[in-house]
Amino acid sequence: MMSKRDHGLLAPGVDAPGRRLHAPASRARPHVDDRLAPPETRVEYLDGAEMFAAPADAPHATQHFDLTYVLGAHVARGYRGAVDMLTRVDEGSDYAPDASVFALKPDRGGRRRLEELAFEVSDKQALAVPTIKARRLIERGVRRVFCILVKHRRVLEWSRETDGWRPLPNDATIEDPCFVRPLPIQALLDAAASDDAAACALLEKRVPALEAALAEGEARGEARGEARGEARGEATGEIRMAQEAITTVLRSRRVQVPAEVARAIADCHELSKLRRWLKRAATAATAAEVVAGPRRRR
C-alpha cells in the first residue's frame, strides 16, 4: 500500500514530511516573459534551484500527446493553448507547465498574459515538485492547476481551500470559460474517449469546413431515400468531415499543407486512418508527418 507521500496526497501546506512551504513575500514580480531559464533548453528554475527537465518515456510521453490533443480541440475562441511554455513565476522561479491555456489578447504593454489554466503530467516521480509548482502558479495568479497521475489514472486539481491536491472523479468534467465545452476527465485518461471528446469539441466550435461536410453528408443521405443509401451517405459525410478536419486543424495551427499532402488526405477513404491522421494533426510539426507511415526500426 502506497504512503501519502508516494501517492502525492499530502497534508495541506506540506510537500514533504517536516517541511512546510510559505508563500514568498509580497513584492513586485517579474513579467511572465522575463526569462531566468534560457529558452529552448531543458533548464528550469524553482525557488532559485536549477532543474533539468528530462525527456519523457512512455507512458509519460504518450500522456503528454493525449493531453495536448484533446486540450487543443477544447480551447475556446479568444484563448490559446501552449506546450512547455516558460512562465516567470517569481524572482527565483521560471519553469514551464506541461500544457497551459492563456488569453490571446495581450496585456497593456503588448505582452502575453499569464496562463489561466496549467496542466502537469506526473509519472514515476513523487508529487513534491508538482506540488511546489502548483502552489507557486496559484500564488502568481493562475486560476486553475491540474495534475494527471499516469500510473494511477487519476486527475487532480489544486485546491485553494485546502492548499493541496483534490482528486477529480473520472466521470466528471472540467467546466471553464477557456473551453468551448466541458472537458471530460476520462478524455484525459483514455485514447478512445479523447477522440470522441475532440470530435465533439470541434463540432461545438462550428468549424465551417466541418459544418459544410456534415450538411453535405446529410443532404446526400436524404436524397438517396433508402437505408443502404443513407448509410453510404453518412459514411461519405464522415470521411469528408475527417478530411476537412485534418486540414482545418493544421491550418488553424499555422502549419502549411503542401499540395501532395492535401492530395494524400483527399485520396484517403479509410475512416480509421483519417482518424489517426486527425490525432497527429494536433501536434505534428509539419503536414508531412501527419500522412507519413510508421517509422521502421533499424
Side-chain angles (χ1 to χ4, degrees):
M1 185 173 181
M2 302 189 70
S3 68
K4 287 186 177 181
R5 174 178 170 81
D6 292 333
H7 198 340
L9 300 180
L10 305 172
V14 177
D15 76 310
R19 182 183 178 195
R20 184 169 293 275
L21 297 174
H22 299 278
S26 178
R27 56 183 174 180
R29 298 177 185 267
H31 189 273
V32 293
D33 276 342
D34 289 343
R35 296 277 70 85
L36 184 62
E40 312 306 326
T41 68
R42 297 190 180 277
V43 175
E44 298 179 318
Y45 285 88
L46 180 60
D47 290 348
E50 184 178 286
M51 301 188 303
F52 178 77
D57 196 0
H60 190 108
T62 55
Q63 181 63 71
H64 273 267
F65 182 92
D66 291 341
L67 169 62
T68 54
Y69 167 61
V70 72
L71 195 61
H74 281 75
V75 172
R77 291 182 180 178
Y79 293 92
R80 189 76 169 89
V83 176
D84 295 333
M85 182 175 67
L86 282 168
T87 291
R88 185 68 178 274
V89 180
D90 53 38
E91 199 65 35
S93 300
D94 190 17
Y95 52 83
D98 291 328
S100 55
V101 181
F102 62 100
L104 270 176
K105 184 178 180 181
D107 61 18
R108 294 180 179 179
R111 305 174 75 178
R112 73 107 169 161
R113 294 181 181 272
L114 176 71
E115 51 262 52
E116 297 190 25
L117 308 182
F119 291 80
E120 289 286 337
V121 177
S122 181
D123 186 8
K124 296 180 181 179
Q125 68 178 26
L127 271 182
V129 172
T131 294
I132 301 173
K133 286 184 173 182
R135 186 177 285 115
R136 296 290 181 264
L137 288 169
I138 292 294
E139 290 168 356
R140 176 75 212 220
V142 176
R143 286 197 296 105
R144 304 177 74 177
V145 180
F146 302 88
C147 183
I148 301 174
L149 299 179
V150 179
K151 185 175 182 180
H152 299 284
R153 311 301 296 165
R154 295 300 303 272
V155 177
L156 313 177
E157 181 174 5
W158 188 261
S159 169
R160 287 179 172 82
E161 290 73 19
T162 64
D163 191 39
W165 294 108
R166 175 174 64 91
L168 300 178
N170 286 359
D171 60 353
T173 60
I174 300 174
E175 298 187 27
D176 195 273
C178 292
F179 295 149
V180 69
R181 72 190 306 271
L183 194 161
I185 297 297
Q186 194 61 36
L188 299 175
L189 303 173
D190 180 75
S194 297
D195 286 339
D196 291 340
C200 291
L202 290 173
L203 289 172
E204 188 73 23
K205 288 182 177 181
R206 304 187 70 84
V207 178
L210 297 182
E211 293 280 300
L214 284 173
E216 182 176 348
E218 291 176 0
R220 290 185 178 182
E222 292 175 359
R224 287 178 174 84
E226 296 180 358
R228 183 179 299 176
E230 290 176 0
R232 188 180 299 114
E234 290 174 3
T236 302
E238 288 184 18
I239 290 171
R240 291 182 63 87
M241 181 176 68
Q243 292 168 337
E244 293 288 348
I246 294 168
T247 55
T248 298
V249 170
L250 287 171
R251 287 167 179 163
S252 68
R253 295 180 55 233
R254 300 180 182 176
V255 176
Q256 293 185 351
V257 182
E260 59 271 19
V261 175
R263 283 195 298 272
I265 295 172
D267 292 341
C268 180
H269 298 282
E270 295 180 31
L271 194 55
S272 60
K273 180 181 288 188
L274 290 170
R275 286 172 175 167
R276 289 197 302 271
W277 289 359
L278 176 58
K279 196 168 185 178
R280 291 181 191 171
T283 56
T286 65
E289 294 178 15
V290 173
V291 299
R295 294 182 179 179
R296 294 181 179 178
R297 294 184 177 179
R298 295 181 178 180

